[in-house]
Amino acid sequence: MRSLTRRVRALPIRARLSLLVASAVALAVAAAAVACWFVVKSVLVSSLDEALKANRMSKQQVSQYVNLRTGECAHDPVTHEQNPFGSSVQLVDGKGGSCLIIGMEEVPLTAADRAVAEGRTEDALHDARSPDGTQYRVYTYSVLPELGVAVSAARPLDEVNSSLSNLALVLVFVAGAGVVGAGAAGLWVARTALRPVDELTQAVEHVARTEDLTVRIPVADDSEDEIAR
């Protein structure tokens, strides 16, 4: 750290000012990009959650897959054709068993899913991963609480992850362009702001070489800053 500080201090003031401007803009752009990514992720996941909640199954739909005396799945798992959204819907009984009724792949149950089936919680939202590595957003809700039966509906997070990956690429590109632009702007600012200092430096060096004290440095009439004084 000290070595880096020494190197920065050894740079010309113009380079240090340009580096300062570029660093400040880079940090601001990076912070904005990260915040944007998390906000978009939250919005996309919330939208997926709302879609899962809007497609709750009724008691009549569920009853055909459940033994109404025991509360267990009435038959071996039955898989329907996979729907356009790649959803997976399975029943969870109070004994921890499950049967797939929509989709082609079961999503592993969690303690939160079993808690809903046992009536300890009304519903649950969480992420899960299938044996083949697919990530799902899972919504489990109670349908036949008297039998300890719940429905666990899951949709792949591929659509969310794909959108976030594309957004990340765009943000990286924008952030990179912002940093390059900040560097160029910092260099321009440094050159403009330090032009009077360059003139002063040249005059001082001239006096040091020639001891000619008649050298005068022109000052703009409307300038009242520190360098003018």
Side-chain angles (χ1 to χ4, degrees), residues 160-184:
V160 173
N161 293 335
S162 177
S163 298
L164 291 176
S165 296
N166 293 334
L167 176 62
L169 291 176
V170 172
L171 291 176
V172 168
F173 175 78
V174 172
V179 171
V180 172

Side-chain angles (χ1 to χ4, degrees), residues 18 31 39 48 52 55 67-68 82 114 128 138 140 145 167 170 192:
S18 301
V39 168
L48 188 59
L52 287 169
N55 290 281
N67 186 320
L68 298 179
Q82 193 169 11
R114 296 187 177 90
V138 182
T140 303
L167 176 62
V170 172
T192 303

Side-chain angles (χ1 to χ4, degrees), residues 21-41:
V21 172
S23 299
V25 173
L27 289 175
V29 170
V34 171
C36 178
W37 189 88
F38 278 104
V39 168
V40 172
K41 178 182 179 182

Side-chain angles (χ1 to χ4, degrees), residues 187-199:
L187 184 59
W188 178 81
V189 169
R191 286 180 176 176
T192 303
L194 297 178
R195 185 175 293 117
V197 177
D198 291 338
E199 295 174 356

Side-chain angles (χ1 to χ4, degrees), residues 1-111:
M1 186 66 181
R2 292 181 179 178
S3 176
L4 179 60
T5 302
R6 292 194 192 98
R7 291 182 180 180
V8 172
R9 287 179 177 176
L11 294 173
I13 189 171
R14 180 182 287 105
R16 278 184 283 165
L17 184 57
S18 301
L19 182 61
L20 179 62
V21 172
S23 299
V25 173
L27 289 175
V29 170
V34 171
C36 178
W37 189 88
F38 278 104
V39 168
V40 172
K41 178 182 179 182
S42 177
V43 171
L44 291 176
V45 172
S46 296
S47 177
L48 188 59
D49 292 344
E50 292 301 320
L52 287 169
K53 291 179 180 180
N55 290 281
R56 293 174 60 122
M57 296 181 68
S58 65
K59 291 185 177 182
Q60 292 181 344
Q61 291 174 307
V62 173
S63 61
Q64 59 182 315
Y65 302 105
V66 178
N67 186 320
L68 298 179
R69 289 178 299 177
T70 64
E72 299 179 4
C73 292
H75 45 64
D76 292 333
V78 174
T79 57
H80 295 186
E81 291 295 328
Q82 193 169 11
N83 61 48
F85 299 106
S87 299
S88 174
V89 180
Q90 57 197 74
L91 301 184
V92 186
D93 60 37
K95 297 183 179 180
S98 65
C99 56
L100 184 68
I101 58 176
I102 297 177
M104 305 301 293
E105 180 180 43
E106 288 195 55
V107 178
L109 299 178
T110 66

Side-chain angles (χ1 to χ4, degrees), residues 122-213:
E122 185 176 348
D123 57 14
L125 273 167
H126 61 86
D127 294 340
R129 186 183 296 272
S130 66
D132 68 355
T134 303
Q135 287 185 305
Y136 284 90
R137 186 65 173 170
V138 182
Y139 175 54
T140 303
Y141 52 95
S142 178
V143 178
L144 296 171
E146 66 277 7
L147 297 176
V149 176
V151 173
S152 182
R155 280 182 61 171
L157 282 169
D158 293 346
E159 51 192 298
V160 173
N161 293 335
S162 177
S163 298
L164 291 176
S165 296
N166 293 334
L167 176 62
L169 291 176
V170 172
L171 291 176
V172 168
F173 175 78
V174 172
V179 171
V180 172
L187 184 59
W188 178 81
V189 169
R191 286 180 176 176
T192 303
L194 297 178
R195 185 175 293 117
V197 177
D198 291 338
E199 295 174 356
L200 180 61
T201 301
Q202 292 172 5
V204 171
E205 290 175 344
H206 175 76
V207 171
R209 288 194 309 270
T210 65
E211 297 184 359
D212 179 10
L213 301 180

